[in-house]
């Protein structure tokens, strides 16, 4: 994990129901995970977060990670 950003928008209260939505992008050497949490049933945004990750092998930054590229490729294809 290279960076995490979390914006707290609306509090959840006990017994609130919510849904989490995740989107993944590859931006250069980074794999970026966007997670939004919405309160139900009004779908008001509760949390908006972004996690930037990079791959390293023996302490050296890698351009990409073949395992992650293969695992996430179907999600990137859906975004195009």
């Amino acid at each position: 994990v290279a960076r995490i950003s979390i914006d707290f928008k609306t509090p959840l209260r006990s017994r609130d129901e919510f849904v989490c939505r995740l989107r993944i992008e590859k931006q250069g050497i980074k794999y970026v995970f966007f997670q939004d949490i919405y309160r139900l049933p009004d779908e008001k945004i509760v949390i908006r977060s972004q996690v930037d990750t990079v791959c390293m092998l023996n302490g050296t930054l890698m351009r990409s990670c073949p395992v992650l590229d293969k695992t996430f490729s179907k999600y990137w294809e859906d975004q195009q």
Side-chain angles (χ1 to χ4, degrees):
V1 173
R3 179 179 306 179
I4 296 176
S5 171
I6 303 173
D7 296 326
F8 297 91
K9 302 294 190 175
T10 303
L12 283 174
R13 296 191 178 9
S14 180
R15 298 196 176 126
D16 279 351
E17 292 186 8
F18 59 92
V19 63
C20 298
R21 296 190 179 123
L22 179 67
R23 187 175 87 250
I24 305 165
E25 291 181 9
K26 182 146 189 230
Q27 299 177 357
I29 65 169
K30 296 186 299 185
Y31 299 89
V32 183
F33 298 80
F34 299 92
Q35 182 181 26
D36 296 330
I37 299 176
Y38 296 90
R39 183 178 64 200
L40 295 176
D42 62 357
E43 298 249 347
K44 187 161 186 168
I45 186 75
V46 174
I47 289 176
R48 179 159 282 148
S49 66
Q50 178 177 332
V51 179
D52 298 349
T53 63
V54 293
C55 290
M56 299 186 78
L57 179 62
N58 299 322
T60 302
L61 191 61
M62 297 175 57
R63 177 96 183 120
S64 67
C65 176
V67 172
L68 292 180
D69 286 346
K70 182 179 179 184
T71 302
F72 297 138
S73 66
K74 66 180 179 180
Y75 301 106
W76 296 323
E77 290 169 4
D78 291 343
Q79 295 173 10
Q80 298 174 0

